[in-house]
Amino acid sequence: MAADDDELLDRLADALGPFDREPPADRIAELRAAVRDAAAADPTGMGDGDGAAGADDHDGAVAPIGRGGPPRGRTAWLAGAAAVAVFVVAFGVGYLMRGAPADPATAGGVVEFSQALVGPDGEELGEVEGVRLGIGRVVRLHTDELEILPTGEFYEVWFVGPDDEPGSPDRISAGTFHPDEEGVSDITLTAAVDPALYPMLVITAEPGDGDPSPSPIEVARVDLG
């Protein structure tokens, strides 16, 4: 027996609920079945006679379209909504399978380096990635190994040149950051610097004393050469 309108509405309401990672084939098959049931219930698309006038009801007269003629709206809407539901579910499942969209900050860029952050004792502290764009470089850094500094202090990321030495720095700052309240640093910085000319990336702990020169307290580094 073909499903009536109420049953189709119930099916569509269920199908358009939150995505729950059910196998895509099961969800799509369910919605396609609803479309087939709608077509089977009214293959002509002319409704169930509610408010419609057939030839026998008016002595062979044909009712003018739009004025008591065949009301296609309800059944057609149900079939159309089911088709839309198939698209919505398929799109949502595809999104979940692909994962989150690409970071717009680095879309279309070229990855120049992607390496581990190394602490003073050689331990791995996290990861850092550099992406070259038309406007310069984007540096993305992640670590949950850095201490939360006292108020007013911060960490600073530097691109360091081969001639850098105490008292005669050869480095360019890429920016500063703080870990969050859980000690996680997941940040994105921009820098107009070429890592081929400054082939070392260093993170320092800065005292926040207003002095722009780098602190000697180095907490992590990456050799980009």
Side-chain angles (χ1 to χ4, degrees):
M1 177 181 292
D4 58 26
D5 287 352
D6 290 337
E7 290 173 338
L8 288 174
L9 286 171
D10 289 342
R11 293 182 189 182
L12 290 175
D14 291 340
L16 291 173
F19 297 122
D20 55 10
R21 294 183 180 270
E22 290 182 15
D26 292 350
R27 297 303 300 273
I28 294 173
E30 177 185 346
L31 294 174
R32 285 177 176 168
V35 175
R36 288 197 299 270
D37 286 349
D42 185 10
T44 65
M46 298 180 66
D48 55 8
D50 182 14
D56 294 339
D57 296 331
H58 293 278
D59 299 327
V62 178
I65 296 175
R67 293 181 178 272
R72 300 171 57 91
R74 183 173 177 79
T75 301
W77 178 88
L78 288 168
V84 171
V86 171
F87 171 78
V88 171
V89 172
F91 176 84
V93 171
Y95 176 86
L96 293 173
M97 292 176 68
R98 287 195 306 270
D103 183 352
T106 57
V110 176
V111 176
E112 291 186 309
F113 57 87
S114 181
Q115 296 174 238
L117 285 172
V118 180
D121 297 326
E123 72 277 22
E124 186 173 320
L125 301 180
E127 305 83 33
V128 64
E129 178 182 73
V131 180
R132 176 169 55 82
L133 300 170
I135 59 172
R137 270 76 182 174
V138 173
V139 178
R140 298 192 300 190
L141 182 150
H142 175 83
T143 175
D144 55 8
E145 299 293 335
L146 298 182
E147 296 181 1
I148 298 176
L149 297 174
T151 301
E153 300 182 15
F154 53 86
Y155 291 106
E156 189 158 6
V157 179
W158 305 87
F159 280 93
V160 179
D163 297 329
D164 184 85
E165 58 183 35
S168 181
D170 178 22
R171 59 179 63 192
I172 297 174
S173 175
T176 61
F177 68 93
H178 297 98
D180 66 18
E181 62 275 7
E182 296 181 353
V184 176
S185 301
D186 195 357
I187 62 170
T188 299
L189 303 169
T190 56
V193 58
D194 187 348
L197 302 177
Y198 294 84
M200 184 72 68
L201 187 142
V202 170
I203 300 176
T204 58
E206 298 293 331
D209 56 4
D211 185 351
S213 61
S215 160
I217 305 173
E218 182 179 309
V219 299
R221 67 165 48 211
V222 180
D223 186 352
L224 306 177

